């Protein structure tokens, strides 16, 4: 048999208002809404920035896919560009065994080996470094 105190506590708990349901407790829900809108704005900004960076990478890969460059397609196929048709948005890749296949220009994911005569970022870094031996003793006295 249920005693009267347990029955009274059960009815009080069942009739209690839901958290934030009181008219005087709207400050907590306002802060929560601001926090949720802030997180949503942060998520939208991060997504927009990531997609902009990806579009820029694709644009650079498409510009670098000129005749003579070695490229990697989105499927992981490596080949050398032998022809490019900008009107049809297609390139023809030649593989090491001599076979040739046409691909969409958008399938180019990265340029592995740029065409000679085009300066890459790696070449620019190599030119900035001097040809010094890092193991050669310097003439400074450590004392």
């Amino acid at each position: 048999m249920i005693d009267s105190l347990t029955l009274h506590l059960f009815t009080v708990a069942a009739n209690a208002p839901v958290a934030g349901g009181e008219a005087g407790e709207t400050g907590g829900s306002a802060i929560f809404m601001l926090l949720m809108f802030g997180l949503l704005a942060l998520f939208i900004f991060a997504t927009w920035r990531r997609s902009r960076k990806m579009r820029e990478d694709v644009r650079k890969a498409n510009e670098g896919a000129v005749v003579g460059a070695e490229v990697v397609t989105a499927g992981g196929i490596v080949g050398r560009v032998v022809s490019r048709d900008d009107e049809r948005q297609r390139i023809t890749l030649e593989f090491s065994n001599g076979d040739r296949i046409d691909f969409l220009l958008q399938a180019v994911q990265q340029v592995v080996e740029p065409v000679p005569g085009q300066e890459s970022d790696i070449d620019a870094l190599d030119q900035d470094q001097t040809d010094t031996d890092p193991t050669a003793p310097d003439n400074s006295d450590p004392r």
Side-chain angles (χ1 to χ4, degrees):
M1 176 175 260
I2 302 175
D3 72 28
S4 62
L5 181 62
T6 307
L7 184 60
H8 176 68
L9 290 176
F10 180 72
T11 56
V12 169
N15 292 330
V18 179
E22 299 263 341
E25 297 182 18
T26 58
S29 66
I31 292 173
F32 179 74
M33 289 298 290
L34 285 174
L35 181 65
M36 287 296 112
F37 281 125
L39 288 174
L40 179 66
L42 182 67
F43 177 73
I44 289 172
F45 176 73
T47 303
W48 172 75
R49 193 169 159 200
R50 181 175 175 228
S51 76
R52 186 179 67 168
K53 184 179 179 190
M54 288 176 63
R55 280 193 309 266
E56 181 68 22
D57 291 344
V58 168
R59 185 188 62 78
K60 284 182 182 179
N62 287 343
E63 288 177 357
V66 295
V67 175
E70 188 173 347
V71 297
V72 178
T73 66
I77 300 172
V78 179
R80 189 164 303 277
V81 178
V82 291
S83 71
R84 178 179 172 140
D85 185 3
D86 287 328
E87 184 177 311
R88 292 178 36 210
Q89 293 291 306
R90 297 192 186 213
I91 60 171
T92 302
L93 296 183
E94 183 177 45
F95 307 112
S96 58
N97 63 359
D99 292 339
R100 293 182 178 194
I101 298 178
D102 288 343
F103 286 91
L104 290 175
L105 188 57
Q106 290 82 10
V108 175
Q109 190 171 15
Q110 69 179 3
V111 178
V112 176
E113 180 183 313
V115 175
Q118 287 185 342
E119 186 174 311
S120 69
D121 294 337
I122 295 172
D123 294 335
L125 289 174
D126 288 341
Q127 290 174 357
D128 290 342
Q129 296 176 351
T130 59
D131 293 331
T132 58
D133 183 11
T135 60
D138 55 355
N139 294 330
S140 63
D141 190 13
R143 291 184 248 166

